[in-house]
Amino acid sequence: MSAVHVEDLSRRFRGRKGQEVTALDAVSLRVEEGEVVGLLGPNGAGKTTLSRILTTLLLPTSGSARVEGLDVVREATAVRERIGLVLGGERGLYGRLTARQNLRYWGAMQGLTGSHCRTRADELLERLGLAARADDRVETYSRGMVQRVHLARALLRNPRVLIMDEPTSGMDPHAAQGFRGLVEELRDGGSTVLLATHDMQEAQLLCSRVTLIDHGRILREGAPKDLLTGLDSPRTVTAGGVSAVVAGAVAGIPGVAVEGPTPEGLVTLRVTGDDAVSEVLRILTAAGVHELSVAAPTLAEVYRSIIEDREFAL
Amino acid sequence: MAAFVQLQWLLLTRSPRLLATLFVVPLYAVVFFTTVRSYEAPELAGTVALTAFSMSMWSQAMFVAAEVVDNDRWDGTLEPSLLTPNAYVRSLVTRVCTVTALSVPVLVEVIAIGRVGFGFPLPVHRPVIALTATLLLVVGTAGSALLVSALMIIVPVGRLLQNALTYPFYILGGLVLPVTSLPAPVEWVARLFFLSHGAQLLRDAMSGADGSHWGDFWALFVLSAMQLAAGVFLLRRALSRARRGEARLYA
Ligand SMILES: Nc1ncnc2c1ncn2[C@@H]1O[C@H](COP(=O)(O)OP(=O)(O)O)[C@@H](O)[C@H]1O
Ligand SMILES: [Mg+2]
C-alpha cells in the first residue's frame, strides 16, 4: 500500500467569466511510505489544488486519491486523522495569540484534550526550537518562526503523512535552510512527505523523487539524478578572457549555445552532450583560456528544458 | 469548548475595536436618560434601558460575531480549520455565543447608570424571567449571527447584508416599540421573529406585568432554537460549498 496513491485525478473549476479551468488533468502519482517526494511546478501548475484534494479540503471532479489506503472523498474523516497539512506564507495562524495559545487551540480542534493537549504543544515548541518565544504573539515572529509553528500544528496528532504546500515561499535563504533541516529530520524519522515547491534546489536537496507538473499535467517524474541523466540536459560552462573569435569558434560546435562575450571577455555556454563538452574544452584551452568552470546540470536545467519558460527566475 | 471560548476571548480583548460596544453603549445611555429626565417621563426609562441593551446585542452579533468566519478567511485560518470541520462548527458556535454573550453586561451597565446617575428606580420585578429571556436571546441572536456568517461566505455581497440586517430588525424585534403597536401585517411577521418575544418578556420582567408569560416563553424558546439550528445548517452548507470549490477559502 502506498502512503499516497493518486489515480487519474482531475479537477475543473468554473472561472470568473464562466469558462472552465482545468487545474488538474488526469494526474496519477504514488508516494511510498517514508519517502519525500517533490511536486515541482510554476504558479498555477495545480500543486495547491492537489494538496487540497489530498487533505480533503477540496473534492475532485473525477478520479481517485487515497491516503494510507483511505479514500479522500468517502473516508475523509479517517484521512484527516492521518494527514498533516503544512501551509506556506505569512498567514494561517492567529497572529494576536502566542504560539502556545495557537497550538492549544489547534490541538483542541484536532480532538486533543486537557493535559495531553498541553504537553503535546509544549513538546513540539521545544522540539522545533520555539520554546524561548512560545509566549510571544505570533504576529511578532519572523517568517521562519511562523513556518515552524505551521509545522508544529501539522505534527500535533503525529500524522504519518505530511503534505507541504510551498512551505519555504517568501522565507529568507537562511530561514529556508533551517526549515529544510527540520524536513530532513522528519524524513529520517520515517515520515512520508509530499512537498509542493517551485524551488528546484530545495527539491534536489530533500526529495528522493520529484514530479514535474504544469498546466495540471504530470510532465516527468523520477529520482533527481535519473532525471538528470535520462534527459540530455545542458551543462553550463563559464570562461573568462575569451576573445570574440574564440567565442565564434565555440558557437559553431553543434549543441552549444553561447551568451557573451561581455566586454570583459566573459562567456556562458550551455553545452549539450559529452562530445560537445570535450570539444568546447579543447578549443578553449588551446586558445589559452585559464578561467574555466564546468557545472553539472541541476534540476533547474531539467526543469527549464521541460517546462516552458514563464515567470521563472531561478 | 473552553479552548474555543478562550480563543475568542483572546481575539476580542486583543483588538480593542471588538469590545467597543461595552464602552460606547453606556455613553448613549447617558444621552437617552438625560432626554427622558428633561421630558419628565421616568416611566420610559425602563424601555430606554432595554432598547439600548437589545440593540447593542443585535449589532454586536451582526458586526462582530457574524464576522468570525470571514475573519478566519482573511487570517488564512479558515483552511486549516476545515481539516477538522466538525470541531470547527463547534468552535464557531461557541465563539459566536461568546461574542454575543459579551453584550449582556451592557444591560447591567445601563441599569446601573440609570439608577445611580439619574435616580430612575429601574426595578427588575421578575429576575428569573429576565435571566431566562436574556439567555434565550443570546442563543437566538448567536444563531442569527451564524446565519449571517455563513451568508458572508456563500454570497459575494455578504458584507452589505450586515447593514441591511440592523434597523429593520430593530423594528421587527420590537426593540424600539412593542410589536403590538406595529401595523397588523408587520406585527404578524414580527411575531415569527424570536426577538419580539424576548423583548416582550424583558419588558414584562421589568414592569412586573401580571398574567402568563408562557406563551412568549415557549415562542422565544422554540424560535431561538430554530434560529440556532438554521445558523448551524447554513454554516455547514457554506463549508461544504468551500469543499466543492464553489466558495473561496482564502481572501
Ligand atoms: N477555487 C478556484 N476557482 C477557480 N479557479 C481555481 C480555483 N483554485 C485554483 N484555480 C485555478 O486552478 C489552477 C491551478 O491553481 P493552483 O492549484 O493554485 O496552482 P499552484 O498551487 O501550482 O500555483 C490555476 O489556474 C488557478 O487559477
Ligand atoms: Mg499554490
Side-chain angles (χ1 to χ4, degrees):
Chain A
M1 183 180 74
S2 310
V4 174
H5 187 180
V6 173
E7 231 170 24
D8 258 339
L9 193 71
S10 296
R11 172 70 219 203
R12 286 181 285 280
F13 287 108
R14 197 142 293 292
R16 284 247 166 78
K17 293 170 202 106
Q19 84 286 19
E20 194 146 275
V21 181
T22 303
L24 289 177
D25 191 1
V27 165
S28 296
L29 172 84
R30 272 173 189 269
V31 181
E32 302 305 330
E33 206 76 47
E35 250 190 326
V36 178
V37 169
L39 188 64
L40 276 174
N43 282 333
K47 305 182 295 295
T48 296
T49 303
L50 182 56
S51 307
R52 289 210 172 110
I53 292 177
L54 288 175
T55 49
T56 77
L57 293 178
L58 184 69
L59 295 172
T61 308
S62 64
S64 75
R66 294 178 161 271
V67 173
E68 300 271 313
L70 298 160
D71 189 278
V72 296
V73 177
R74 279 175 285 115
E75 294 159 297
T77 312
V79 169
R80 288 177 190 132
E81 281 161 16
R82 290 165 175 78
I83 206 160
L85 172 63
V86 183
L87 297 168
E90 303 273 354
R91 304 190 308 162
L93 295 163
Y94 292 102
R96 276 179 265 141
L97 270 59
T98 68
R100 202 188 305 277
Q101 288 165 339
N102 261 288
L103 288 183
R104 286 182 183 173
Y105 171 73
W106 292 107
M109 288 275 278
Q110 295 178 18
L112 305 182
T113 48
S115 65
H116 179 223
C117 184
R118 287 195 294 277
T119 33
R120 185 76 188 130
D122 294 348
E123 243 170 59
L124 285 166
L125 288 166
E126 191 68 47
R127 178 169 151 205
L128 297 182
L130 289 163
R133 301 268 323 263
D135 297 309
D136 293 347
R137 290 185 189 195
V138 169
E139 65 195 359
T140 66
Y141 283 13
S142 68
R143 181 69 190 76
M145 291 174 70
V146 170
Q147 198 54 45
R148 278 181 275 159
V149 186
H150 276 283
L151 183 59
R153 168 174 58 198
L155 294 174
L156 277 166
R157 267 200 298 204
N158 213 356
R160 303 170 61 94
V161 180
L162 288 163
I163 309 286
M164 303 190 177
D165 190 5
E166 305 208 28
T168 56
S169 75
M171 264 194 211
D172 65 75
H174 190 71
Q177 199 187 350
F179 188 80
R180 280 175 209 134
L182 294 172
V183 178
E184 275 166 4
E185 277 174 33
L186 288 169
R187 178 188 62 191
D188 299 342
S191 295
T192 307
V193 180
L194 180 66
L195 172 73
T197 177
H198 62 237
D199 187 323
M200 305 307 120
Q201 208 198 347
E202 180 167 285
Q204 200 160 7
L205 283 170
L206 293 174
C207 303
S208 53
R209 277 192 306 128
V210 294
T211 296
L212 301 190
I213 180 172
D214 195 15
H215 297 302
R217 287 169 191 254
I218 293 200
L219 302 177
R220 194 81 41 128
E221 69 175 315
K225 66 176 189 311
D226 295 339
L227 288 181
L228 296 174
T229 49
L231 194 108
D232 213 1
S233 322
R235 265 168 280 207
T236 307
V237 177
T238 15
V242 181
S243 67
V245 180
V246 176
V250 175
I253 305 167
V256 177
V258 183
E259 249 176 62
T262 61
E264 296 80 39
L266 198 70
V267 290
T268 308
L269 310 168
R270 299 205 173 274
V271 187
T272 310
D274 294 344
D275 294 347
V277 172
S278 311
E279 187 64 8
V280 164
L281 294 182
R282 198 185 58 73
I283 292 179
L284 288 177
T285 38
V289 172
H290 297 303
E291 283 170 51
L292 197 62
S293 78
V294 184
T298 62
L299 263 188
E301 259 89 23
V302 176
Y303 195 89
R304 243 190 232 121
S305 66
I306 295 174
I307 294 182
E308 63 198 71
D309 231 304
R310 272 193 274 152
E311 67 263 59
F312 266 115
L314 291 167
Chain B
M1 183 152 126
F4 303 155
V5 174
Q6 194 199 9
L7 170 78
Q8 198 56 41
W9 173 254
L10 290 169
L11 289 178
L12 282 170
T13 50
R14 291 180 176 191
S15 162
R17 186 183 77 86
L18 299 181
L19 275 178
T21 312
L22 287 180
F23 300 99
V24 173
V25 176
L27 299 178
Y28 280 119
V30 170
V31 175
F32 295 147
F33 283 136
T34 309
T35 314
V36 167
R37 189 167 58 182
S38 61
Y39 281 87
E40 289 170 23
E43 70 280 7
L44 285 180
T47 307
V48 162
L50 288 178
T51 305
F53 159 64
S54 46
M55 277 172 63
S56 47
M57 170 146 85
W58 186 258
S59 72
Q60 167 103 340
M62 289 302 119
F63 289 100
V64 183
E67 286 184 4
V68 283
V69 186
D70 203 41
N71 285 344
D72 277 355
R73 181 155 69 165
W74 273 97
D75 291 340
T77 45
L78 177 56
E79 199 172 348
S81 300
L82 289 177
L83 291 174
T84 48
N86 289 326
Y88 187 48
V89 170
R90 280 201 301 280
S91 163
L92 287 174
V93 172
T94 315
R95 289 167 57 189
V96 166
C97 286
T98 306
V99 177
T100 310
L102 277 174
S103 54
V104 173
V106 168
L107 182 57
V108 181
E109 286 176 347
V110 171
I111 289 181
I113 289 173
R115 284 185 188 172
V116 178
F118 294 84
F120 297 127
L122 290 174
V124 182
H125 290 292
R126 303 273 169 80
V128 177
I129 292 183
L131 201 69
T132 321
T134 306
L135 267 175
L136 290 174
L137 273 174
V138 168
V139 171
T141 309
S144 319
L146 282 171
L147 209 91
V148 176
S149 73
L151 285 174
M152 283 168 72
I153 300 294
I154 295 174
V155 293
V157 294
R159 284 205 170 243
L160 288 177
L161 273 173
Q162 285 179 304
N163 288 304
L165 288 178
T166 49
Y167 283 94
F169 283 81
Y170 296 154
I171 305 288
L172 280 181
L175 305 187
V176 185
L177 297 163
V179 290
T180 43
S181 54
L182 295 172
V186 184
E187 183 189 337
W188 268 104
V189 178
R191 286 202 180 280
L192 291 175
F193 189 46
F194 73 96
L195 263 186
S196 64
H197 301 279
Q200 190 57 49
L201 278 174
L202 283 181
R203 264 193 291 268
D204 293 350
M206 283 191 80
S207 67
D210 290 328
S212 168
H213 303 290
W214 289 107
D216 278 320
F217 171 78
W218 280 112
L220 176 63
F221 182 82
V222 171
L223 293 174
S224 294
M226 280 169 64
Q227 195 75 25
L228 187 67
V232 170
F233 174 78
L234 204 68
L235 195 62
R236 287 190 186 279
R237 285 286 298 266
L239 301 186
S240 65
R241 276 181 79 115
R243 196 174 174 218
R244 291 200 302 273
E246 292 161 10
R248 291 216 167 259
L249 291 174
Y250 47 92

